[in-house]
Amino acid sequence: MKKINRIIAIALLAIGFAAVPAQAQFRFGIKAGVDVNKLQFDTKTFDSDNRVGFTGGLMAEFTVPIIGIGGDISALYTHRSLEGETSPDYINIPINLKWKINIPVINNIIRPYLATGPSFAFLINKSKVPEGFKNKDIAWNVGFGVELIKHLQIGASYGIGLNKTVEEKITGDTGVDIYGKSRVWTISAAYLF
């Protein structure tokens, strides 16, 4: 599984950067936001509520000017709050294909965009989570937003967990296997220089 994850990540980066013409615009900036997360369990034994966490870090973006297609990659510290004392912290690396929609008259003031791509989150505080939490959380993000005055991006995305975030076998009379996949809404703002 580790080899497959690495191959997917390298392939996405290679395709993205190979397809970028020389006139593409590269920008860097800072990004911060909130995560509203929920674990989807496979059994009705547990009922999880939405919890709010935060995220922040660095972002890089490239865009092909005329057609508005490009991508972005971020390195974010992400804190998720779950039930009880469980609060996993991750280094999250979302990689998005992005399309900025051209509206000629208002492009310099406001420009909507759509984004989608994988997200690779790596657990950095094993001591704050119960046994059964996996070291990585892979998700597919789908998002939208607006760019204001060519520098400030405000967006929302929904991440659908692709792997099991929690997996534990409970022995005893029931013999229940529990696993959960994350579902995360992220609302963020980024300032690009």
Side-chain angles (χ1 to χ4, degrees), residues 57-104:
L58 302 174
M59 175 179 163
E61 176 190 77
F62 67 88
T63 307
V64 179
I66 295 173
I67 58 175
I69 293 178
D72 68 43
I73 184 169
S74 301
L76 306 169
Y77 169 80
T78 301
H79 174 81
R80 295 183 184 161
S81 188
L82 301 174
E83 282 188 27
E85 306 258 333
T86 305
S87 54
D89 296 325
Y90 294 92
I91 296 296
N92 190 12
I93 303 173
I95 305 168
N96 291 308
L97 177 65
K98 188 182 276 185
W99 177 44
K100 293 182 181 177
I101 301 166
N102 264 331
I103 306 173

Side-chain angles (χ1 to χ4, degrees), residues 136-149:
K136 65 180 175 244
D137 185 11
I138 302 170
W140 191 269
N141 298 322
V142 177
F144 61 92
V146 293
E147 182 175 80
L148 303 170
I149 317 168

